[in-house]
Amino acid sequence: MDTWSAAIMLFLIMDPLGNLPVFMSVLKSIEPKRRQFILIRELLFALFILFLFLFSGQSVLNFLNVEQETVSIAGGIILFLIALKMIFPSSGNPSGLAVGEEPFLVPLAIPMIAGPSTLAALILLANQSPDRMTDWSIALAASWSISAVILMFSNVFHKILGERGLVAMERLMGMILVMIAIQMLLDGVTKYFIHAAGAL
């Protein structure tokens, strides 16, 4: 996977367009000036956590003695499940905050931006090519930057796309992510059988 393919994958997993309604509902009862500050703060929190997992995830895998094929297969399954939720979203308010309550770290930074699937994808990238951490850092920074711009101008995107447009975009991203997930799963299974055959 090259740098920009990784960036696109991370952007699709972060799903800023799909998260727009949640961000708007969480922040709507907070005054506009404070809203911008909170959004910037939560985005920076998320970026720190994402980079932390990118650079320390490999150490965790080594400690747990988890092989690359296992991470690839597990990552493909997780991405596939996330993609299905994007295509067939569940109803309800995922924020879990009372009206007027100011979010701090949860739920905007975690799990809306730095969610389990994004963290798993970063660990997967670091595990597959630990010698390309600069590429993965660029990919993460690019995907986070685009997501941040979309979320900072959430009102504009919401007016342009509308509710139906946001749903359509999220489902389109879900379809693309399904294909990435299946390819990741197939790569993991192929590597597993090659590894097993080599061991014999």
Short mmCIF file of all heavy atoms in Angstrom, two decimals, residues 8-9 12 83 87 169-182:
data_model
loop_
_atom_site.label_atom_id
_atom_site.label_comp_id
_atom_site.label_asym_id
_atom_site.label_seq_id
_atom_site.Cartn_x
_atom_site.Cartn_y
_atom_site.Cartn_z
N ILE A 8 -6.09 7.61 2.03
CA ILE A 8 -7.50 7.47 1.64
C ILE A 8 -8.20 6.47 2.54
O ILE A 8 -9.34 6.70 2.99
CB ILE A 8 -7.60 7.04 0.16
CG1 ILE A 8 -7.13 8.18 -0.76
CG2 ILE A 8 -9.03 6.64 -0.19
CD1 ILE A 8 -6.94 7.79 -2.20
N MET A 9 -7.54 5.35 2.83
CA MET A 9 -8.13 4.35 3.71
C MET A 9 -8.42 4.93 5.09
O MET A 9 -9.52 4.76 5.63
CB MET A 9 -7.21 3.14 3.84
CG MET A 9 -7.77 2.04 4.72
SD MET A 9 -6.58 0.72 5.09
CE MET A 9 -5.50 1.55 6.26
N LEU A 12 -11.35 7.34 4.96
CA LEU A 12 -12.64 6.63 4.87
C LEU A 12 -13.04 6.05 6.22
O LEU A 12 -14.23 6.06 6.59
CB LEU A 12 -12.56 5.51 3.82
CG LEU A 12 -12.42 5.96 2.36
CD1 LEU A 12 -12.18 4.76 1.47
CD2 LEU A 12 -13.66 6.72 1.91
N ALA A 83 -17.51 -0.86 7.74
CA ALA A 83 -18.09 -0.49 6.44
C ALA A 83 -19.57 -0.85 6.37
O ALA A 83 -20.38 -0.08 5.84
CB ALA A 83 -17.33 -1.18 5.31
N ILE A 87 -22.80 1.59 5.64
CA ILE A 87 -23.80 1.36 4.59
C ILE A 87 -25.19 1.20 5.19
O ILE A 87 -26.18 1.69 4.65
CB ILE A 87 -23.42 0.11 3.76
CG1 ILE A 87 -22.06 0.32 3.08
CG2 ILE A 87 -24.49 -0.17 2.71
CD1 ILE A 87 -21.51 -0.93 2.44
N MET A 169 -23.17 10.03 0.79
CA MET A 169 -21.70 10.06 0.83
C MET A 169 -21.16 9.01 1.79
O MET A 169 -20.18 8.32 1.49
CB MET A 169 -21.21 11.46 1.25
CG MET A 169 -21.35 12.51 0.17
SD MET A 169 -20.30 12.18 -1.27
CE MET A 169 -18.68 12.34 -0.55
N GLU A 170 -21.82 8.89 2.95
CA GLU A 170 -21.36 7.91 3.93
C GLU A 170 -21.48 6.49 3.37
O GLU A 170 -20.59 5.66 3.56
CB GLU A 170 -22.16 8.04 5.22
CG GLU A 170 -21.67 7.08 6.30
CD GLU A 170 -22.40 7.25 7.62
OE1 GLU A 170 -23.47 7.87 7.64
OE2 GLU A 170 -21.89 6.74 8.62
N ARG A 171 -22.57 6.20 2.68
CA ARG A 171 -22.76 4.86 2.12
C ARG A 171 -21.79 4.59 0.98
O ARG A 171 -21.32 3.45 0.82
CB ARG A 171 -24.21 4.69 1.67
CG ARG A 171 -25.15 4.64 2.87
CD ARG A 171 -26.59 4.45 2.51
NE ARG A 171 -27.39 4.41 3.73
CZ ARG A 171 -28.71 4.37 3.75
NH1 ARG A 171 -29.39 4.37 2.61
NH2 ARG A 171 -29.36 4.34 4.89
N LEU A 172 -21.48 5.62 0.21
CA LEU A 172 -20.48 5.46 -0.86
C LEU A 172 -19.11 5.14 -0.25
O LEU A 172 -18.40 4.25 -0.71
CB LEU A 172 -20.41 6.73 -1.70
CG LEU A 172 -19.34 6.75 -2.80
CD1 LEU A 172 -19.58 5.64 -3.82
CD2 LEU A 172 -19.32 8.10 -3.50
N MET A 173 -18.74 5.87 0.81
CA MET A 173 -17.48 5.59 1.51
C MET A 173 -17.48 4.19 2.09
O MET A 173 -16.45 3.50 2.08
CB MET A 173 -17.27 6.62 2.64
CG MET A 173 -16.94 8.01 2.15
SD MET A 173 -16.71 9.15 3.55
CE MET A 173 -16.23 10.64 2.69
N GLY A 174 -18.62 3.77 2.59
CA GLY A 174 -18.75 2.41 3.13
C GLY A 174 -18.49 1.36 2.07
O GLY A 174 -17.81 0.36 2.33
N MET A 175 -19.01 1.57 0.87
CA MET A 175 -18.81 0.62 -0.23
C MET A 175 -17.33 0.52 -0.60
O MET A 175 -16.80 -0.57 -0.82
CB MET A 175 -19.62 1.05 -1.45
CG MET A 175 -21.12 0.82 -1.32
SD MET A 175 -21.53 -0.93 -1.16
CE MET A 175 -20.98 -1.57 -2.73
N ILE A 176 -16.65 1.68 -0.66
CA ILE A 176 -15.22 1.67 -0.98
C ILE A 176 -14.44 0.95 0.12
O ILE A 176 -13.53 0.17 -0.14
CB ILE A 176 -14.71 3.12 -1.16
CG1 ILE A 176 -15.39 3.78 -2.36
CG2 ILE A 176 -13.19 3.14 -1.34
CD1 ILE A 176 -15.13 5.26 -2.49
N LEU A 177 -14.84 1.20 1.37
CA LEU A 177 -14.15 0.58 2.50
C LEU A 177 -14.36 -0.93 2.52
O LEU A 177 -13.48 -1.67 2.94
CB LEU A 177 -14.65 1.20 3.81
CG LEU A 177 -13.77 0.97 5.04
CD1 LEU A 177 -12.35 1.46 4.80
CD2 LEU A 177 -14.36 1.64 6.25
N VAL A 178 -15.52 -1.40 2.06
CA VAL A 178 -15.76 -2.85 1.95
C VAL A 178 -14.72 -3.49 1.05
O VAL A 178 -14.15 -4.54 1.37
CB VAL A 178 -17.19 -3.13 1.42
CG1 VAL A 178 -17.31 -4.57 0.93
CG2 VAL A 178 -18.22 -2.89 2.52
N MET A 179 -14.45 -2.85 -0.09
CA MET A 179 -13.48 -3.39 -1.04
C MET A 179 -12.07 -3.41 -0.44
O MET A 179 -11.33 -4.38 -0.60
CB MET A 179 -13.50 -2.58 -2.33
CG MET A 179 -14.80 -2.73 -3.12
SD MET A 179 -14.78 -1.86 -4.69
CE MET A 179 -15.13 -0.19 -4.16
N ILE A 180 -11.71 -2.33 0.28
CA ILE A 180 -10.39 -2.28 0.94
C ILE A 180 -10.29 -3.37 1.99
O ILE A 180 -9.27 -4.05 2.12
CB ILE A 180 -10.16 -0.90 1.57
CG1 ILE A 180 -10.07 0.18 0.48
CG2 ILE A 180 -8.89 -0.89 2.42
CD1 ILE A 180 -9.99 1.60 1.01
N ALA A 181 -11.38 -3.56 2.76
CA ALA A 181 -11.39 -4.57 3.83
C ALA A 181 -11.23 -5.97 3.28
O ALA A 181 -10.46 -6.79 3.81
CB ALA A 181 -12.69 -4.46 4.63
N ILE A 182 -11.94 -6.28 2.19
CA ILE A 182 -11.86 -7.62 1.60
C ILE A 182 -10.46 -7.87 1.04
O ILE A 182 -9.91 -8.96 1.20
CB ILE A 182 -12.94 -7.79 0.50
CG1 ILE A 182 -14.32 -7.81 1.15
CG2 ILE A 182 -12.70 -9.07 -0.30
CD1 ILE A 182 -15.48 -7.82 0.18
#
